[in-house]
């Protein structure tokens, strides 16, 4: 029943970013120097979202990605 689901990841986490794009999440933008990481690095956080109207397509992509080839 959600209107919107959002995801946040580190801009350096290329695997997570690729996976979010692959399922159809929309990149919304980067919050620069968003928070501290271990070791003192400041993280740039990138946000993605899926809206209710986009969910049928995203759900289908997720299901397809979870299917085990025969």
């Amino acid at each position: 029943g959600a209107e919107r689901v959002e995801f946040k990841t580190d801009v350096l986490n290329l695997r997570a970013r690729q996976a979010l794009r692959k399922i159809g999440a929309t990149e919304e933008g980067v919050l620069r120097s968003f928070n501290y990481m271990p070791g003192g690095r400041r993280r740039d956080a990138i946000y993605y979202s899926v809206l209710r109207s986009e969910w049928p397509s995203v759900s289908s992509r997720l299901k397809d990605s979870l299917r085990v080839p025969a």
Side-chain angles (χ1 to χ4, degrees):
E3 289 294 328
R4 167 191 170 83
V5 175
E6 65 184 31
F7 306 88
K8 174 183 74 173
T9 189
D10 192 310
V11 294
L12 300 178
N13 190 341
L14 300 179
R15 290 182 69 192
R17 294 175 65 184
Q18 181 181 22
L20 288 164
R21 285 191 302 267
K22 184 176 178 180
I23 66 165
T26 299
E27 184 178 314
E28 294 189 323
V30 175
L31 294 177
R32 300 179 307 142
S33 195
F34 181 72
N35 62 323
Y36 283 107
M37 297 298 288
R41 177 176 77 87
R42 294 287 300 186
R43 168 170 100 156
D44 290 347
I46 187 164
Y47 278 81
Y48 293 82
S49 69
V50 175
L51 303 179
R52 178 191 294 259
S53 62
E54 299 163 341
W55 177 244
S57 173
V58 170
S59 176
S60 177
R61 288 180 186 178
L62 281 169
K63 289 175 186 172
D64 288 344
S65 71
L66 295 174
R67 287 197 180 95
V68 177

